Amino acid sequence: MTIYKLTVPNDVTCVIGDRHSPTPLWMISGRAYTNSEAVVAFADRQGYDVAEVPAIPAVYLEQAARLNAYPGVPMNAGAGDGANPEQKYLFTGPDGQTQVDIRDVIAGRVTA
């Protein structure tokens, strides 16, 4: 099975496809890994860099598991522009009030 690394030129974190899939494909800080030829074809059409890699790094799998486990993580973070560059990483946490930095979820510094 061939594994592909997809990269984009920014640090966006988003789901490629269905967030409610049992195994959503996360683009984490501008990179994702897949063995799906359909996803690779989509990524290529969108201008992503695509490269074959020997395996999916364990750190990426751990980060994706953290995102899947955290309730309310938005499907797209880190892509917007604004007056405060850090604002693009924040989303409202599961309590409906707390601002959570998606980079902290990825790194495991916050958990639900």
Side-chain angles (χ1 to χ4, degrees):
M1 158 176 51
T2 304
I3 304 293
Y4 299 93
K5 178 182 180 182
L6 315 175
T7 55
V8 295
N10 58 33
D11 61 349
V12 66
T13 295
C14 65
V15 171
I16 300 173
D18 182 6
R19 166 75 165 102
H20 301 291
S21 161
T23 56
L25 175 58
W26 282 97
M27 173 73 64
I28 302 173
S29 300
R31 15 173 246 298
Y33 297 86
T34 186
N35 63 352
S36 168
E37 296 291 335
V39 170
V40 168
F42 166 81
D44 191 49
R45 286 191 307 272
Q46 299 303 312
Y48 298 11
D49 290 329
V50 177
E52 278 190 40
V53 294
I56 299 173
V59 69
Y60 171 84
L61 295 172
E62 293 165 4
Q63 292 169 339
R66 288 185 199 116
L67 289 166
N68 287 331
Y70 199 93
V73 170
M75 291 182 60
N76 189 358
D81 293 320
N84 175 0
E86 294 298 301
Q87 183 68 32
K88 67 184 179 179
Y89 300 107
L90 301 177
F91 66 96
T92 303
D95 65 3
Q97 297 179 24
T98 306
Q99 291 289 291
V100 178
D101 189 316
I102 197 163
R103 296 169 296 182
D104 290 337
V105 176
I106 293 167
R109 292 186 291 266
V110 297
T111 58

